[in-house]
Amino acid sequence: MTVRIVPSILSADLTRLGEQVREAVAAGADRIQVDVMDGHFVPNLTFGPGVVAAVRRVAPELPIEAHLMIERPEQFVQAFADAGADHILVQVESTTSLYRTVHAIAEAGAQAGLVLNPGTPVESLRELVPYVRMVNVMTVEPGFGGQKFITTSPEKIRRLRVLSSVVEIEVDGGIDARTAPLVVAAGATVLVAGNSVFAFKQGVAAGIKAIRDAVD
Ligand code: DX5
């Protein structure tokens, strides 16, 4: 089972974002995640389509995930797809028209993913799992990097694996060399990592290697 590592630029040094992305690519990152926050769905403000386009220019080959932590994400699907996002992830709590939004993402030529906040039950996905390739289980409350991993997350991942044996399971928040084996053992195959990559003392490459060694 291939485990993918997806550095999240929320924790990158934004004064040298291009360099940081290149370091991650050189160190074998499988994708890059751009966390989009609107100050409403989560109590923080971050990036727009322009940052996705910038990452795309720096890393033309690397798949990009746009994780939309915004209200009414359907309004911005086309803009993020046009900017170069390969995967567009929407929070199941953020819109009343998830079915339409998931299909709009596919029509825009991107892959749709659904994201569950820690307090949202896996069962809320039952009707939509057939339409998506990936489900992201937030292992922290969204909004900030560097938070503590929620220790009940592996059980939730196991429940999701029961709900769907095919969907790719991504985890996001507090993932490092200590927590990565716990989520992979539960069935996760995509690991988003912010602090444990971009704030790792020995550098980006060592951060990615520490996680990969822990799950290999
Ligand atoms: C938080 C974001 C995460 C965050 C992860 O809302 O969705 O992607 O950047 O950062 P770490 O790995 O530092 O918890």
Side-chain angles (χ1 to χ4, degrees):
M1 178 181 60
T2 314
V3 173
R4 293 189 169 88
I5 297 180
V6 184
S8 154
I9 64 163
L10 187 64
S11 302
D13 174 351
L14 298 180
T15 66
R16 48 192 194 92
L17 179 59
E19 211 181 301
Q20 294 254 271
V21 170
R22 285 191 197 93
E23 284 175 63
V25 172
D30 298 288
R31 301 178 190 159
I32 283 277
Q33 189 178 85
V34 177
D35 287 308
V36 179
M37 303 180 188
D38 65 354
H40 295 284
F41 183 77
V42 287
N44 198 357
L45 275 174
T46 58
F47 316 121
V51 173
V52 169
V55 173
R56 170 55 66 231
R57 284 197 295 281
V58 169
E61 306 306 322
L62 195 73
I64 297 175
E65 296 185 357
H67 175 188
L68 307 187
M69 288 162 273
I70 63 176
E71 289 175 354
R72 302 178 59 200
E74 59 272 18
Q75 295 179 304
F76 294 95
V77 163
Q78 194 62 51
F80 281 101
D82 293 347
D86 304 280
H87 302 262
I88 298 178
L89 285 57
V90 294
Q91 301 266 163
V92 297
E93 311 85 359
S94 65
T95 177
T96 53
S97 51
L98 266 179
Y99 180 88
R100 186 185 302 132
T101 306
V102 162
H103 286 80
I105 293 170
E107 278 146 32
Q111 292 194 31
L114 293 171
V115 186
L116 290 170
N117 272 352
T120 306
V122 164
E123 288 65 32
S124 62
L125 291 173
R126 186 172 294 284
E127 305 308 325
L128 285 165
V129 163
Y131 303 105
V132 296
R133 293 274 300 276
M134 185 169 75
V135 171
N136 172 312
V137 175
M138 288 301 302
T139 42
V140 297
E141 196 68 47
F144 303 93
Q147 298 183 81
K148 209 165 163 297
F149 173 81
I150 297 174
T151 54
T152 52
S153 305
E155 267 328 293
K156 185 172 184 177
I157 295 163
R158 287 191 178 88
R159 287 196 296 277
L160 176 55
R161 190 41 82 214
V162 172
L163 185 80
S164 168
S165 59
V166 290
V167 83
E168 196 177 43
I169 300 179
E170 180 174 75
V171 288
D172 187 353
I175 300 300
D176 57 22
R178 186 183 58 77
T179 56
L182 305 175
V183 291
V184 169
T189 56
V190 188
L191 313 179
V192 176
N195 261 41
S196 58
V197 169
F198 290 116
F200 196 70
K201 277 206 181 59
Q202 291 80 9
V204 168
I208 291 176
K209 185 173 184 314
I211 298 171
R212 213 172 279 291
D213 290 350
V215 297
D216 271 354

